[in-house]
Amino acid sequence: MAAKRKRGALAAGKAKRARSTPSAGEAVPEGGPRESSIPPQEYSIPPPVSQGKWKNKERVLIFSSRGINFRTRHLMQDLRTLMPHSKADTKMDRKDQLFVINEVCEMKNCNKCIFFEAKKKQDLYMWLSNTPQGPSAKFLVQNVHTLAELKMTGNCLRGSRPLLSFDPIFDQEPHYALLKELFIQIFSTPQYHPKSQPFVDHVFTFSITDERIWFRNYQIIEEDASLVEIGPRFVLNLIKIFQGSFGGPTLYENPHYQSPNMHRRLIRLSVAAKFREKQQVKEVQKIKKKGTKVLVKEDPTEVVFETPAEEKPVEIQLVKPESKPIVKDKKKLRKIQRKKQKKLFRTEG
């Protein structure tokens, strides 16, 4: 009976607790402790979505081929962090053709693509393409520096929208104007993107120097609107612009482009030419040494300033000179010399 009483008591207590909490239909008195009766809820941080409708649904696929080095991998990861509208994918096999990338973009629901292609484990190429219609551009990437490598002082909010700054030369020539539109569509974060922040605190700059496109990323400081570099940084050397995506008719070919293989070949040829020049100089010196010396004729004017020396009288010695004693010990030799000197003094005295 005692056990039954305990169970009944527990049931009554539960019922009382349930009655104390007001239901959805019941009205709560104004003076009653409303907050104490409701259990505390877990607060969650809302996602970084700014108020507005996401209309420009640009998605960029950033991935690479197999055989890239660590610096390229870090550069690819930096671009993914700077572009919240980007997507990643596994590395593509070298044996696959490039037009397969269009199918990969379609599977990932992406309409833009940045593809890093590695060759010979030392040359890096970048493809920027508007899939699947085109156009696409192929670049040689040089002077790559990543965020971790540079250790810049600048910093920006993750997922913020960047400003794009272009060199005025982009508006002067048609192929640069096409690249400018391609850069705008790929690197600019769409407004009201779900993963983006409603702030603008850094700038992507594209400048043209020495027939190459230089990419830099700067932070905008609020105090005086000055710029501090964040990174990464790299240089794009344009090779070709194609009408289609990863192929098709060539719209533009850079006449100033020099392939890395040709550049390395010219360096080897210059080193070999210097070595040959040194060998030729050595051979010429050997020939000069072996050649017969040309005898110079005597100059009669050389004797003009010569003064004849005085002739010394010739003395003829009739007596045979005394033989010097061969003494191995030097002390004995000195004693003998002293004795001779004493005899000479005595005879003279």
Side-chain angles (χ1 to χ4, degrees):
M1 293 299 288
K4 287 182 181 179
R5 284 175 187 172
K6 286 182 181 177
R7 287 176 187 171
L10 288 169
K14 287 182 180 178
K16 285 179 181 178
R17 285 179 188 173
R19 284 173 191 171
S20 64
T21 56
S23 61
E26 294 177 2
V28 180
E30 294 180 359
R34 185 177 179 180
E35 294 180 359
S36 60
S37 61
I38 299 172
Q41 297 179 356
E42 294 182 358
Y43 294 98
S44 61
I45 299 171
V49 180
S50 54
Q51 295 178 356
K53 192 175 181 182
W54 178 31
K55 296 179 181 179
N56 181 20
K57 298 190 177 183
E58 295 281 354
R59 298 180 184 89
V60 183
L61 181 65
I62 303 176
F63 72 118
S64 67
S65 65
R66 296 193 181 277
I68 61 171
N69 54 7
F70 70 97
R71 184 175 280 110
T72 308
R73 187 172 66 253
H74 290 181
L75 173 65
M76 189 168 56
Q77 191 62 35
D78 293 343
L79 289 178
R80 286 173 184 167
T81 55
L82 291 172
M83 300 165 65
H85 61 293
S86 63
K87 289 187 177 182
D89 195 21
T90 56
K91 294 179 182 178
M92 197 180 75
D93 197 0
R94 294 180 184 176
K95 296 178 182 178
D96 296 339
Q97 299 294 330
L98 290 177
F99 62 83
V100 181
I101 301 173
N102 296 324
E103 299 177 4
V104 177
C105 292
E106 188 178 355
M107 291 166 60
K108 289 283 184 179
N109 195 17
C110 295
N111 52 2
K112 299 291 185 296
C113 180
I114 299 176
F115 177 68
F116 292 95
E117 186 181 7
K119 289 185 179 179
K120 294 188 176 181
K121 296 184 179 181
Q122 55 183 346
D123 301 331
L124 178 64
Y125 297 91
M126 178 193 283
W127 286 84
L128 299 179
S129 176
N130 180 22
T131 59
Q133 292 87 12
S136 59
K138 185 180 181 181
F139 301 91
L140 175 68
V141 186
Q142 298 172 331
N143 301 334
V144 177
H145 297 281
T146 59
L147 278 169
E149 183 182 355
L150 287 173
K151 296 180 182 177
M152 294 291 185
T153 56
N155 194 6
C156 67
L157 186 67
R158 186 185 178 94
S160 60
R161 300 177 65 238
L163 292 174
L164 299 184
S165 173
F166 291 93
D167 197 284
I169 304 175
F170 277 97
D171 298 326
Q172 297 175 6
E173 298 187 17
H175 62 280
Y176 282 138
L178 177 61
L179 291 177
K180 178 181 177 181
E181 185 63 30
L182 196 61
F183 288 146
I184 290 171
Q185 294 183 14
I186 290 176
F187 287 96
S188 62
T189 303
Q191 194 175 11
Y192 305 127
H193 191 276
K195 292 183 180 179
S196 67
Q197 299 283 356
F199 306 104
V200 177
D201 59 353
H202 62 287
V203 186
F204 289 163
T205 61
F206 298 89
S207 56
I208 297 173
T209 307
D210 194 19
E211 304 296 335
R212 290 171 175 82
I213 300 171
W214 300 65
F215 175 85
R216 295 289 184 272
N217 182 20
Y218 296 98
Q219 178 197 0
I220 303 172
I221 299 177
E222 296 180 0
E223 287 78 8
D224 52 354
S226 60
L227 300 178
V228 179
E229 189 171 357
I230 304 171
R233 57 162 67 171
F234 53 87
V235 180
L236 299 176
N237 191 0
L238 178 63
I239 303 173
K240 284 183 181 181
I241 300 176
F242 300 96
Q243 186 176 354
S245 177
F246 297 97
T250 303
L251 298 178
Y252 176 77
E253 186 175 358
N254 187 8
H256 306 283
Y257 171 71
Q258 187 181 49
S259 65
N261 293 331
M262 182 61 68
H263 181 67
R264 287 190 287 266
R265 182 173 176 272
L266 292 175
I267 291 173
R268 288 196 299 270
L269 289 174
S270 63
V271 173
K274 288 181 181 178
F275 181 75
R276 282 196 219 98
E277 188 178 355
K278 288 182 180 178
Q279 293 295 326
Q280 289 175 0
V281 170
K282 287 181 181 180
E283 289 177 1
V284 170
Q285 289 176 354
K286 286 180 181 179
I287 292 168
K288 284 182 178 180
K289 286 179 181 178
K290 290 180 180 179
T292 55
K293 294 181 180 180
V294 181
L295 296 174
V296 183
K297 294 180 181 180
E298 293 183 359
D299 190 4
T301 58
E302 287 183 357
V303 198
V304 173
F305 298 101
E306 287 184 359
T307 54
E310 295 181 358
E311 293 183 358
K312 293 181 179 180
V314 180
E315 294 181 358
I316 300 170
Q317 193 173 1
L318 301 175
V319 183
K320 182 180 178 182
E322 295 181 358
S323 60
K324 295 180 179 179
I326 299 169
V327 181
K328 293 182 180 179
D329 193 359
K330 292 184 178 180
K331 290 183 178 180
K332 290 182 178 180
L333 180 62
R334 288 173 184 170
K335 287 180 180 180
I336 293 167
Q337 288 178 354
R338 286 172 185 169
K339 286 180 179 179
K340 285 183 178 181
Q341 286 177 359
K342 286 179 180 179
K343 286 180 181 180
L344 287 170
F345 282 124
R346 286 174 185 171
T347 50
E348 285 176 0

